[in-house]
Amino acid sequence: MTAPPGARVAAGALAVVVIGSLGLVALDVAASPFHRRTVTAGLTVLVLTPAVLLGQYAPPPYRLPYRWRWVLLLVQAVLTYVPIVVFQHRWFTLLGFLAGAVMLTLPPANSVPVALAVVASGPLLIHTGVVDSSRGSLVALLSATITASTVFAVTHLALLSSRLYGSKEQTARLAEQRAQARMRHDLHDLVGSSLVAIAMRAENTLRADASAESARAALTEVVELARRTQEDVRLISSPGAPRSLADEFARAQRLLTTSGIGVHASLPPRLELDDAVTECLRSVLHEAVGNLLEHSRATFCEIELHADPDDIRLTVRNDGVPTGSPPPSAAPGRGTGLAGLRGRVVALGGTLRTTPEDRTFSVTATLPLP
């Protein structure tokens, strides 16, 4: 994963702030009287502080885990207060970096009071005489406040930019996965039900001991169904291909008729539906017809789509439920199953009912219209 452009800009601005502030520390070290203790403390701060700040402020994907940032915060506190309190160096800019790290590491409820205490510690050390500074407590307070605010603002913007960039990537991945899943589902149901229809037509012809003319007619139907299936697969595989409910009705009629099942379909004219409702109804029709072909002994099927002002209802009813046998929807191992479709229907605020009555079985999906 690469850092987003916004995070790179924020990281560059933060680097300028860090390098500039540490440059002031370096100038203080150079202007101080030459002393081994001063040089040692200055070099230690100038070498270790950038590494600590990098670990504290780095945006994703380079951001360290939370517990490691706590360790770095303690190390940064030592690098900040030891030169000031023990060695009497006037490096109050380091207090601003520490306050910024506190606001970025601690929970929001605790970070602001602790950061204010860190910023106020500089003037307090000067006022109590612990550190002798000619700059005055107001200069130390302003220096730490400006540095802390700049560090927090730039780093926080980098974090927000990274999170927004990650959210966009995640949304794109989820959309791609949903499209692939829908395509797999459509291909599975379409090819599966078409193959079942082809197999049933061929088996019926073989069992009937048909003449050469009847066999030729059956083979013609099988070839036509195979070619139509190929066209449907090409249409589904095309990105952004339109798949209307009317096309699904026509395909269901074709499959049932080729399988020797009488069919009556009723579809309202000029029906305009939401894409989500259309996809859901198509899936219900897919599953109901596929289960009918694969698991029932139906001779007749009725498909009805009825639209009211408030909702739309799809009913698929067949007469192929043998006495004492489970309904075709209970048969496992095909497509998403009616149990999975019930979740999709409920997600749109609708209901899915399966009703076995005597030797008939019906699947009814009711969806509200927006």
Side-chain angles (χ1 to χ4, degrees):
M1 177 181 176
T2 59
R8 291 197 293 268
V9 173
L14 186 62
V16 172
V17 175
V18 172
I19 294 173
S21 300
L22 292 181
L24 295 178
V25 175
L27 292 177
D28 281 342
V29 174
S32 301
F34 182 78
H35 193 279
R36 180 179 299 177
R37 186 177 62 181
T38 301
V39 174
T40 302
L43 290 178
T44 301
V45 170
L46 292 175
V47 171
L48 294 182
T49 300
V52 172
L53 295 179
L54 179 62
Q56 284 281 17
Y57 304 145
Y62 313 108
R63 193 164 176 79
L64 291 176
Y66 185 70
R67 59 180 180 178
W68 285 108
R69 297 205 306 273
W70 263 100
V71 174
L72 290 179
L73 185 63
L74 297 177
V75 174
Q76 186 176 353
V78 172
L79 292 175
T80 300
Y81 282 105
V82 168
I84 295 176
V85 177
V86 177
F87 300 126
Q88 299 290 305
H89 297 309
R90 298 168 296 180
W91 300 339
F92 294 106
T93 304
L94 298 177
L95 294 174
F97 288 110
L98 180 59
V102 166
M103 288 191 291
L104 292 169
T105 304
L106 270 63
N110 302 326
S111 62
V112 175
V114 176
L116 291 176
V118 172
V119 170
S121 64
L124 182 62
L125 291 174
I126 296 175
H127 184 71
T128 56
V130 176
V131 178
D132 183 17
S133 176
S134 60
R135 295 180 180 178
S137 58
L138 182 60
V139 174
L141 178 64
L142 291 177
S143 174
T145 301
I146 293 173
T147 303
S149 302
T150 304
V151 165
F152 175 77
V154 174
T155 307
H156 193 61
L157 288 176
L159 292 175
L160 291 179
S161 175
S162 298
R163 289 168 184 167
L164 179 61
Y165 186 78
S167 299
K168 289 183 177 179
E169 282 194 336
Q170 182 68 12
T171 301
R173 284 195 296 267
L174 289 176
E176 183 180 359
Q177 290 174 2
R178 291 192 189 101
Q180 292 177 352
R182 183 171 61 249
M183 183 180 297
R184 287 195 299 268
H185 167 70
D186 288 346
L187 288 175
H188 181 276
D189 285 351
L190 185 146
V191 175
S193 55
S194 296
L195 290 177
V196 169
I198 291 173
M200 291 182 62
R201 186 69 179 93
E203 289 174 357
N204 291 337
T205 303
L206 291 175
R207 281 197 297 265
D209 193 17
S211 61
E213 184 177 352
S214 299
R216 182 180 181 84
L219 287 176
T220 301
E221 292 181 1
V222 168
V223 170
E224 181 64 22
L225 181 59
R227 287 177 176 173
R228 287 182 177 271
T229 303
Q230 183 183 18
E231 294 177 1
D232 291 339
V233 169
R234 186 182 298 112
L235 179 63
I236 291 177
S237 303
S238 302
R243 296 185 295 274
S244 67
L245 194 58
D247 293 337
E248 191 62 37
F249 262 68
R251 175 183 169 275
Q253 287 181 282
R254 185 170 63 250
L255 289 177
L256 294 171
T257 302
T258 304
S259 302
I261 299 174
V263 58
H264 173 73
S266 174
L267 179 67
R270 299 180 182 179
L271 187 62
E272 296 183 2
L273 299 174
D274 184 77
D275 290 342
V277 174
T278 300
E279 285 296 320
C280 187
L281 293 177
R282 286 183 62 255
S283 298
V284 172
L285 186 56
H286 258 151
E287 191 68 27
V289 172
N291 280 338
L292 185 155
L293 291 173
E294 191 168 353
H295 302 296
S296 75
R297 302 174 184 175
T299 60
F300 181 78
C301 177
E302 181 181 5
I303 305 174
E304 180 183 9
L305 186 67
H306 180 73
D308 290 327
D310 298 328
D311 56 33
I312 186 167
R313 183 174 65 256
L314 172 65
T315 302
V316 182
R317 184 183 297 107
N318 69 84
D319 62 351
V321 181
T323 304
S325 299
S329 65
R334 187 191 177 278
T336 59
L338 291 179
L341 289 177
R342 180 172 284 108
R344 295 183 60 178
V345 173
V346 171
L348 295 178
T351 58
L352 182 70
R353 293 186 294 108
T354 55
T355 310
E357 295 179 357
D358 296 332
R359 295 181 62 85
T360 65
F361 181 78
S362 63
V363 177
T364 304
T366 305
L367 294 173
L369 292 177

